[in-house]
Amino acid sequence: MNNQPKNPLHGVTLEQIIVELEQRLGWRTLGEQVKIKCFTDSPSIKSSLKFLRKTPWARDKVEALYIHTINNKPIRKPKSAPKETSSKAPDTTGFVWPSIKK
């Protein structure tokens, strides 16, 4: 038996990886992170498995995204994504209006 204690993908099937990523991120974010058609056009587990089993470079990207996701590392946003604007009101605690003297 081959022990791989430092391999985070040991014992995890490709189907489990896709299901986990879909539940955590959703198809839309998954398609933005890994730009492949099986995640953006009519996505499904079955079509994704079929494509990823035949395409090593895409599978490598999905596995890398999975490792980042399970380790709770921040995911790099695609460059084309719009910047988020802060909807929070600015912190005004301790602010004092200057006195206006004539």
Side-chain angles (χ1 to χ4, degrees):
M1 192 158 170
N2 187 7
N3 290 333
Q4 298 182 9
K6 295 191 180 202
N7 183 356
L9 297 175
H10 181 69
V12 181
T13 65
L14 184 58
E15 183 175 6
Q16 290 171 331
I17 290 171
I18 295 171
V19 168
E20 179 76 21
L21 287 173
E22 192 275 324
Q23 289 175 347
R24 285 185 180 214
L25 305 175
W27 290 115
R28 184 178 183 160
T29 305
L30 199 50
E32 291 171 354
Q33 294 295 319
V34 183
K35 295 188 185 330
I36 52 178
K37 206 171 188 179
C38 66
F39 291 157
T40 58
D41 294 343
S42 302
S44 71
I45 301 293
K46 186 177 178 180
S47 68
S48 300
L49 284 171
K50 187 175 179 179
F51 179 77
L52 292 172
R53 286 181 178 141
K54 293 179 182 180
T55 317
W57 64 265
R59 183 177 182 149
D60 291 341
K61 287 186 176 192
V62 170
E63 288 174 347
L65 179 63
Y66 175 75
I67 291 169
H68 279 276
T69 303
I70 63 171
N71 289 334
N72 292 324
K73 292 183 179 177
I75 299 171
R76 182 178 56 88
K77 293 186 178 183
K79 292 179 182 177
S80 62
K83 293 183 180 179
E84 293 181 19
T85 57
S86 177
S87 61
K88 286 184 175 180
D91 184 21
T92 57
T93 56
F95 178 77
V96 179
W97 284 99
S99 62
I100 301 174
K101 295 183 179 178
K102 290 185 181 183

